[in-house]
Amino acid sequence: MRFDLNRDGWICWPEREDLSLEFMRLLAAAQEGGSTVSECWLTASRIDFTDDDCWYDEWSKTADANNDRGFAAFAAGNLVTARSNWLRALNYYTAAAYPFDLAPDKQRAAVSAMRECAANYLRHRRPCGEVVSIPWLSEFALQGYYLPARATKDPAPVVICIGEPGHRKEEYLFKLAPHAFERGISLLAVDVLGDGTGLPFEQLMRRQKLESAIEPVMDYLVGRDDVDDGRIAILGDGWSSSFVARGIAYDPRFAAAVCDGGIWDLHEQAFLKRRMAPAGDDTGWSSETSRILRNIRCPLLITVGARGWLKTDRVTELADQLGVDRRDVTLKIFERAETAAAQGHIDNPTLANEFIFDWIASRLGAGCVSFDRQPQES
């Protein structure tokens, strides 16, 4: 195994930058309970990074080992250990399914095992979580995981955690759920990949806009008796588009949002205008884009890393445009010196999520559970 550590701190195999990024995500997940550093390095030492099948095989073996330990711990009555192993196993299965050119049968096997681990974790969590199905289109339902906060007599605030296409909700069980739980906030983890029983995602995206998924997710939560429908926030994880911003633009039910705020749309709009202007053409969507994105009225947090895909001065410029006539727009830039500076904060998600969930809790009127209460298992 050969790797390079460059001046930005990226561990990279030059021939496979995509797998290098996934390996960084796996290493960073260790601090949130989604992996162990030793298992990551041991698995990587066995991989030929030019062979997707080898990547799949080795991460699957590591996932199987954790899954087996989980069942052994469960059989012995050690639920905490069982849950920890199932969380690591689902993350390793996620990694196994990662290569873009992986054979479909192997990807399906990894995803199925990943979801089984997630279901086992939710079933034995305290309080128990739920696997939920949210109607979206007649031939495509969204699958979600609902993790309630500690039981109280009153409905709880909730944060919707939803990722870009390619981001799987299973990751949020260890990456985001503990941050919500410790602040007394329930969490609904959703992705836009569907439940696997309807129209393939690739076909769906040819005929449906992603932002249309936001409304039915909110509708689902509003219909639950244990949800305070006046305190629902949304977190768009790993943003590389503005579909969450577009989805919440005309929905007044959101109490807070963490997303790009439409910055990607504004950036693309400016790029297209520069490209088309010499030919005298008009992109035809700039004013509508600005109108939609400026219509977001709930408090908005935008977080970005200094090593992300957009330069920070450009992000600041676009965020200032969004902040015109708005009362509560927060921009947080994570600098290289503190980490969490990569795109999507992949290098240090803990640092970013601590800031994000403190902000969410402040806008939802939530906070840490007081220490005089009897703690419950999470």
Side-chain angles (χ1 to χ4, degrees):
M1 178 182 62
R2 179 174 63 87
F3 69 91
D4 299 319
L5 186 64
N6 69 26
R7 61 191 176 91
D8 286 330
W10 291 86
I11 298 169
C12 88
W13 292 273
E15 66 275 14
R16 290 303 299 266
E17 183 178 357
D18 57 336
L19 298 185
S20 298
L21 291 173
E22 177 65 1
F23 187 65
M24 172 176 278
R25 185 193 69 81
L26 285 161
L27 283 176
Q31 60 205 36
E32 301 279 19
S35 66
T36 67
V37 173
S38 294
E39 284 180 317
C40 288
W41 282 114
L42 180 61
T43 305
S45 72
R46 302 192 298 252
I47 294 176
D48 175 0
F49 284 83
T50 65
D51 182 355
D52 286 354
D53 286 339
C54 182
W55 172 277
Y56 166 85
D57 291 339
E58 296 303 331
W59 286 113
S60 293
K61 290 176 185 176
T62 302
D64 289 343
N66 279 266
N67 198 16
D68 291 343
R69 280 199 301 268
F71 280 111
F74 175 72
N78 300 318
L79 287 180
V80 174
T81 299
R83 291 195 296 265
S84 296
N85 277 275
W86 284 326
L87 285 178
R88 293 196 297 270
L90 73 83
N91 196 28
Y92 296 141
Y93 284 128
T94 301
Y98 179 80
F100 180 77
D101 293 329
L102 188 66
D105 60 330
K106 292 186 175 182
Q107 187 174 71
R108 285 193 295 270
V111 170
S112 177
M114 172 194 70
R115 289 183 169 181
E116 181 182 349
C117 289
N120 286 330
Y121 170 78
L122 293 170
R123 190 177 301 117
H124 300 291
R125 177 186 182 267
R126 298 294 181 269
C128 293
E130 305 172 35
V131 180
V132 302
S133 182
I134 302 173
W136 181 13
L137 305 171
S138 59
E139 65 272 78
F140 198 89
L142 298 170
Q143 187 184 77
Y145 300 141
Y146 183 76
L147 290 78
R150 288 181 173 89
T152 64
K153 62 180 181 179
D154 299 318
V158 182
V159 58
I160 301 165
C161 297
I162 187 167
E164 299 286 331
H167 287 250
R168 297 189 180 277
K169 63 189 176 301
E170 286 73 20
E171 180 181 3
Y172 306 150
L173 297 183
F174 60 83
K175 178 182 175 183
L176 301 178
H179 294 281
F181 186 78
E182 290 301 323
R183 292 164 176 82
I185 303 173
S186 298
L187 180 142
L188 176 63
V190 189
D191 57 36
V192 292
L193 299 174
D195 61 7
T197 62
L199 191 70
F201 176 77
E202 295 79 7
Q203 294 182 31
L204 175 73
M205 288 303 97
R206 298 191 191 109
R207 34 187 291 209
Q208 187 67 31
K209 294 182 178 180
L210 281 177
E211 56 264 33
S212 67
I214 303 299
E215 183 178 4
V217 172
M218 173 59 91
D219 290 342
Y220 167 78
L221 285 177
V222 169
R224 290 187 65 108
D225 293 336
D226 57 351
V227 169
D228 183 342
D229 60 13
R231 295 194 292 165
I232 299 176
I234 187 167
L235 192 169
D237 185 59
W239 57 269
S240 57
S241 78
S242 295
F243 89 93
V244 171
R246 294 192 300 270
I248 67 175
Y250 292 111
D251 196 328
R253 295 176 292 179
F254 286 96
V258 183
C259 63
D260 84 320
I263 282 178
W264 273 109
D265 281 355
L266 290 173
H267 177 71
E268 291 179 347
Q269 167 189 313
F271 174 79
L272 288 174
K273 288 180 71 174
R274 288 194 301 269
R275 291 292 298 269
M276 301 299 288
D281 295 325
D282 187 354
T283 60
W285 62 296
S286 59
S287 60
E288 176 67 9
T289 299
S290 296
R291 185 175 68 85
I292 290 174
L293 300 177
R294 290 179 189 277
N295 204 58
I296 301 173
R297 294 302 175 187
C298 66
L300 176 65
L301 170 64
I302 301 168
T303 70
V304 64
R307 290 195 290 112
W309 295 339
L310 292 181
K311 294 183 181 297
T312 55
D313 56 351
R314 180 61 174 158
V315 173
T316 301
E317 175 188 349
L318 295 174
D320 287 344
Q321 293 180 33
L322 287 173
V324 174
D325 298 327
R326 293 180 52 105
R327 294 183 178 179
D328 194 347
V329 177
T330 303
L331 172 63
K332 168 62 176 176
I333 297 175
F334 288 88
E335 302 293 346
R336 295 168 183 252
E338 62 179 331
T339 70
Q343 178 68 26
H345 314 297
I346 189 175
D347 57 324
N348 192 349
T350 302
L351 191 65
N353 289 331
E354 288 171 347
F355 184 94
I356 288 169
F357 277 88
D358 282 347
W359 183 91
I360 290 174
S362 71
R363 277 19 180 220
L364 297 186
C368 295
V369 177
S370 59
F371 287 106
D372 59 353
R373 298 186 184 182
Q374 184 67 31
Q376 300 184 38
E377 292 183 283
S378 61

